[in-house]
Amino acid sequence: AILYALVSKVSFTQKTADISSKPFYNIFTESVYESILSVMSLCGYVIFFSVVCEFLKLLSPFLPPYLLYIIFLFSEITTGVFNAAALGTVLSQRLFFAVLSSAVSFSGICAHMQLITLNKQSGLSPARFITGKWWQSVTSFFISYIVYGIIFG
């Protein structure tokens, strides 16, 4: 992440609301309402992606196990990490380490949807954000693969 930030030097501006003219009770009510909407949205994404992963498990006889768990890793990170142990039996330790590092670096589509929902007003382009996360993920894969080989031979 630090390497990507240094290379890309992405900047964005955050818009702030003018609250000086609003009474306290309006500001308080709006903040409670907005926080409830945010929490519901975040939980909704987690539930949606968890259900999709469970549905994909039903297709497991038709999909190769490594493909299924890689899909889990890149869609909803918590479900993916819990199920990633099955990848360890299919891939070499070095490749497993690199894939896991790449997936954790990417953070999952579910996390991206949550961030995009919360950052609507920040000016950050969702396409640019996700593209940057893919590059970070690919870079993390290669760095992890190389470092694993150096440390563990």
Side-chain angles (χ1 to χ4, degrees):
I2 293 170
L3 179 62
Y4 178 75
L6 290 173
V7 170
S8 67
K9 297 181 183 176
V10 175
S11 65
F12 63 93
T13 59
Q14 184 173 0
K15 299 173 186 172
T16 56
D18 180 25
I19 62 170
S20 60
S21 62
K22 293 184 180 181
F24 174 75
Y25 63 86
N26 282 351
I27 296 169
F28 180 75
T29 303
E30 287 177 20
S31 68
V32 170
Y33 176 74
E34 291 293 327
S35 66
I36 290 170
L37 286 178
S38 295
V39 168
M40 287 174 54
S41 173
L42 298 179
C43 292
Y45 283 119
V46 172
I47 291 168
F48 174 79
F49 280 96
S50 295
V51 168
V52 167
C53 287
E54 288 300 319
F55 177 73
L56 287 175
K57 278 185 183 178
L58 297 174
L59 299 176
S60 62
F62 307 108
L63 294 173
Y66 64 89
L67 179 63
L68 184 66
Y69 294 117
I70 288 174
I71 291 170
F72 288 171
L73 279 170
F74 285 94
S75 62
E76 206 278 309
I77 193 70
T78 306
T79 303
V81 169
F82 283 135
N83 289 293
L87 275 175
T89 61
V90 178
L91 305 176
S92 69
Q93 285 186 340
R94 184 177 184 179
L95 188 57
F96 175 67
F97 177 76
V99 168
L100 196 58
S101 176
S102 176
V104 170
S105 178
F106 182 71
S107 305
I109 295 170
C110 179
H112 299 316
M113 297 303 294
Q114 292 171 344
L115 287 170
I116 289 168
T117 299
L118 293 176
N119 289 322
K120 284 180 187 174
Q121 298 171 347
S122 69
L124 181 63
S125 162
R128 187 171 181 187
F129 172 72
I130 291 175
T131 301
K133 289 301 283 185
W134 273 114
W135 279 112
Q136 179 182 344
S137 178
V138 169
T139 304
S140 179
F141 176 87
F142 287 115
I143 289 172
S144 299
Y145 193 82
I146 292 167
V147 167
Y148 189 95
I150 292 170
I151 294 174
F152 298 107

